Amino acid sequence: GQNIDQPTEMTATEGAIVQINCTYQTSGFNGLFWYQQHAGEAPTFLSYNVLDGLEEKGRFSSFLSRSKGYSYLLLKELQMKDSASYLCAVRDSNYQLIWGAGTKLIIKP
Amino acid sequence: DAMVIQNPRYQVTQFGKPVTLSCSQTLNHNVMYWYQQKSSQAPKLLFHYYDKDFNNEADTPDNFQSRRPNTSFCFLDIRSPGLGDTAMYLCATSRTGGAPDEQYFGPGTRLTVT
């Protein structure tokens, strides 16, 4: 079966750095997405990785290792508004998106 | 601004009473998706349209139906809602459904079945 694993919950301090990991086992691979979802709201797109390496976008960076079936989302200079769930999703060989359950990130002052 | 709109934002219905959720988009995207998301769970794809081509997920209950009368609109019909159908229903679009295309989500409809 296809599977995306992420930690259920993480806590970090305002101003710090946090890394949210995602491992996947899917039938084929056509890219990995990270989405942010605030409580009660819709997911919004953060990043897309299809090649190995690091993609940087402001305070957020996303890393991919296809050989290890592994990605992480790195959030720097954390702000209170970053408190949200972060969902990892992989596009499989049929171009379907396989979603993780998300990591709830709690930011403390 | 181009966007994905869902109505209503909140819906309460009684057990067994049919309900229709609507989605419209001004992005002119080919692909539209309906997801069900329960608390702290991954979004679950119910079905999607590539243009007018309807694609039903194998495990989507027959109770759930969908219509896409034109490019801009898509509807989710739940014929006989059960208590287990209480969830957030998310509509999303993507330009072509190809590999790099991200999905754009509407704000969701929170459905409560009593």
Side-chain angles (χ1 to χ4, degrees), chain A residues 31-64:
Chain A
L32 183 145
F33 296 81
W34 283 96
Y35 281 80
Q36 181 190 60
Q37 186 175 26
H38 285 100
E41 297 182 12
T44 55
F45 170 76
L46 288 178
S47 67
Y48 172 73
N49 294 69
V50 67
L51 299 176
D52 291 350
L54 189 68
E55 295 278 344
E56 297 187 76
K57 195 185 285 187
R59 293 189 298 114
F60 292 7
S61 303
S62 55
F63 171 84
L64 175 67

Side-chain angles (χ1 to χ4, degrees), chain A residues 30-31 33 35 37 39-45 48 50 87 91 95-97 99-102, chain B residues 9 35 37 40-43 45 48 57 88 90 97-103 105-107 110:
Chain A
N30 278 301
F33 296 81
Y35 281 80
Q37 186 175 26
E41 297 182 12
T44 55
F45 170 76
Y48 172 73
V50 67
L87 293 96
R91 198 179 290 284
Y95 292 91
Q96 296 281 52
L97 263 186
W99 292 85
Chain B
R9 294 291 309 276
Y35 287 94
Q37 187 180 28
S40 302
Q41 295 185 19
L45 183 64
H48 72 279
E57 293 303 297
M88 175 79 92
L90 296 164
D101 280 358
E102 73 224 52
Q103 293 185 9
F105 285 84
R110 186 169 294 280

